[in-house]
Amino acid sequence: MGTLALKGFFLNAPQKSRSTVVDKTKNSASMRVESQSGSPLPNPFSSALGSTMKMIRYALAGLLLSLSSTSALAGQTWWIDDSGGAGIDFTDIQPAINAASAGDLLIVHPGTYSGFNLGKNLTIMGFNVNHTSVVNGTVTIANLTSPGRAVLTGLRLKAMNLNSNGAPVILDSIRINPAFAGTGVVTINNCFDVRMYQCNVTAPMGTAVAGSNGVEAVNSRLEVVDSYLAGAEGFYVGCSGDAGDGGSALWASNNSIISVFQTTCDGGPGGQTDGFCEWSDPYGGDGGDGIYLRGGSRAVIAGDATDTIMFGWEGWGDSFPIFTDGARGYGMALAGGSIARYSGVNMTSTLIQAGSLATLAVPADPYLERTGTLQAGRKQTFWIYGTPGDQVTFYLGRSPLVTIDGTQEMDNLVTHERAYTLGAIPATGRLKYEFTVPTFFPDGFSFYSQAEVTTSSGSRLTNSIPIVLRYL
């Protein structure tokens, strides 16, 4: 079968790891497009198809198979295990980063590791999908420069600081939760492009009075997809004073640009008092907000009713002689000229201060979802959600990018090495597109997807989704 080679698409891909056998005889790709009802649209591998579907067939095959004709793949694989042993390069992550060059892959075995500083465009991957590669310290990623990007996937962390990054930072399947003491937050300052996909950030109660925010973004661009964020509970103070306020799940300021798709954001509950403090009357803490925007920040929020932007509950105060409970937070709070557009999600409540604006998008903004195990030979399924009858174009690209599109709420977020015209969204409101990843793709290899939905009144772009391949 002839293919259209996509020259350069797989340059800078990491080499195969020692644990993966390259089998270039298994180089067939399959793709299927169907509606939610289960009725298949034309099979692009059928000989009876017209020229349009044949072009999709050959284009997809070219994208997926051109790796086999690439004579040399840039990048080296480094193996890290805190127990050492044969075939292990390092026992901690920082020395591996120091030795690695841009484009290398670091694979981290299950174990416990120190925090680290990253200023190179590397991929750091936990050994398996169970998040047993634990970093018991703060991870700092700072001063990355384009071209390239940093990718972290499959790790469990204590906290993360992202500072002054001019290149994309991809956080794929990262866990930050109360199993560790400390703030437990992700802080993002002056970063050009940060993407969180299938991440879980749950800020624990700290030692300060106020609870920590789950994710903080300052003067940064952030996309959060298919994730869970939670602010911390305010600190419990007994009868010694007022309890702490809960933290926000997502807090953004200083003209940050935020996209939140298929994500639940839970504001932290306010801290509590003992409830019977006689005459001291301490107040319970106020609940945190699901999403809080200030300082001219703007956000697009989309998903379905299972995605909840939830206020934090008020903390209990004293009950005698007067009730001194805190105030309930808001699902979304806007201040300082911030703007938000939302649709589809369960928005529990809003607070819109003077000079800010919240708009319910009608019809709802489209969004993109992926399912499937990211392993050799496994099928990847994408769902494009939108208004029935709208036309869909699906993009696959080698790299993330940000191209400002002043005519749409969302910007172009992937390079368009391949574009597939999939047809109309059916009456169910979602269109299915799938393909099988060849077995010879290397560990840590990543590519990126986004869809464009065209209506009678114009086009709208979905969120992006990174695809970071894992064979372990």
Side-chain angles (χ1 to χ4, degrees):
M1 179 183 70
T3 62
L4 299 177
L6 180 59
K7 295 182 179 179
F9 187 88
F10 296 100
L11 294 180
N12 301 319
Q15 292 178 340
K16 293 296 298 181
S17 68
R18 301 170 193 169
S19 64
T20 306
V21 177
V22 179
D23 183 357
K24 295 183 179 180
T25 65
K26 300 178 181 179
N27 60 3
S28 61
S30 64
M31 190 269 283
R32 178 182 175 89
V33 184
E34 67 178 39
S35 68
Q36 168 62 8
S37 64
S39 301
L41 297 177
N43 185 338
F45 288 85
S46 169
S47 60
L49 292 176
S51 60
T52 299
M53 295 308 294
K54 286 182 179 179
M55 289 177 64
I56 293 179
R57 171 191 177 184
Y58 292 133
L60 179 65
L63 182 148
L64 295 178
L65 300 181
S66 58
L67 179 59
S68 62
S69 63
T70 304
S71 58
L73 300 178
Q76 181 175 349
T77 298
W78 303 88
W79 291 82
I80 305 166
D81 192 328
D82 63 349
S83 299
I88 299 303
D89 299 304
F90 297 96
T91 58
D92 209 351
I93 297 173
Q94 189 66 62
I97 292 173
N98 296 342
S101 300
D104 286 357
L105 169 66
L106 281 58
I107 298 181
V108 184
H109 279 261
T112 301
Y113 302 89
S114 304
F116 58 84
N117 297 316
L118 176 62
K120 301 177 182 179
N121 296 316
L122 304 176
T123 296
I124 303 178
M125 182 169 65
F127 187 79
N128 58 43
V129 297
N130 297 320
H131 302 92
T132 54
S133 302
V134 177
V135 179
N136 190 17
T138 299
V139 171
T140 298
I141 303 177
N143 303 313
L144 294 178
T145 57
S146 186
R149 65 268 189 185
V151 179
L152 268 62
T153 179
L155 300 172
R156 187 180 295 272
L157 310 178
K158 176 179 179 180
M160 173 173 284
N161 298 322
L162 308 179
N163 300 310
S164 301
N165 291 302
V169 177
I170 310 299
L171 306 178
D172 172 62
S173 189
I174 297 296
R175 300 289 183 268
I176 301 179
N177 62 38
F180 302 101
T183 59
V185 298
V186 177
T187 60
I188 305 168
N189 293 285
N190 302 309
C191 290
F192 173 69
D193 185 11
V194 177
R195 308 190 192 189
M196 302 177 66
Y197 177 62
Q198 293 187 340
C199 293
N200 185 310
V201 180
T202 305
M205 182 191 295
T207 56
V209 173
S212 302
N213 299 317
V215 175
E216 296 183 2
V218 178
N219 190 34
S220 296
R221 185 183 200 93
L222 169 66
E223 182 183 49
V224 185
V225 178
D226 195 13
S227 296
Y228 175 76
L229 310 180
E233 180 179 0
F235 192 61
Y236 167 80
V237 294
C239 291
S240 61
D242 295 338
D245 296 337
S248 295
L250 173 56
W251 184 98
S253 70
N254 292 47
N255 301 299
S256 291
I257 300 173
I258 309 296
S259 304
V260 179
F261 289 83
Q262 293 179 280
T263 293
T264 288
C265 296
D266 283 343
Q272 301 186 34
T273 70
D274 279 344
F276 295 95
C277 297
E278 297 183 357
W279 300 102
S280 61
D281 299 330
Y283 280 82
D286 295 342
D289 303 316
I291 295 176
Y292 178 76
L293 305 179
R294 59 175 293 177
S297 297
R298 62 185 179 93
V300 176
I301 305 161
D304 61 29
T306 65
D307 307 312
T308 301
I309 312 302
M310 181 70 183
F311 57 79
W313 290 97
E314 63 272 24
W316 292 346
D318 199 7
S319 58
F320 182 83
I322 60 173
F323 288 96
T324 56
D325 293 348
R328 187 172 298 178
Y330 293 90
M332 178 174 67
L334 307 181
S338 295
I339 299 173
R341 174 187 174 101
Y342 66 97
S343 61
V345 300
N346 178 16
M347 184 68 70
T348 55
S349 61
T350 58
L351 172 65
I352 315 301
Q353 296 187 10
S356 297
L357 176 66
T359 302
L360 176 64
V362 179
D365 286 324
Y367 60 95
L368 178 65
E369 177 184 56
R370 185 201 64 82
T371 59
T373 303
L374 290 169
Q375 292 181 332
R378 295 297 186 91
K379 182 181 296 183
Q380 300 304 302
T381 300
F382 294 87
W383 295 98
I384 300 94
Y385 292 79
T387 302
D390 289 351
Q391 300 292 316
V392 175
T393 303
F394 181 76
Y395 300 112
L396 284 176
R398 178 66 182 86
S399 302
L401 87 165
V402 175
T403 301
I404 305 300
D405 188 333
T407 66
Q408 303 193 49
E409 293 296 329
M410 290 294 295
D411 296 319
N412 292 308
L413 297 177
V414 304
T415 54
H416 293 178
E417 274 82 5
R418 285 294 181 261
Y420 310 109
T421 302
L422 304 184
I425 296 175
T428 54
R430 65 178 189 170
L431 183 67
K432 183 179 181 181
Y433 173 82
E434 59 187 15
F435 62 84
T436 299
V437 178
T439 57
F440 53 74
F441 271 27
D443 298 343
F445 180 74
S446 60
F447 52 106
Y448 301 83
S449 61
Q450 189 177 23
E452 185 169 15
V453 175
T454 301
T455 70
S456 58
S457 59
S459 297
R460 288 183 293 173
L461 289 160
T462 69
N463 56 288
S464 70
I465 291 181
I467 300 101
V468 183
L469 299 183
R470 309 167 62 87
Y471 294 94
L472 305 174

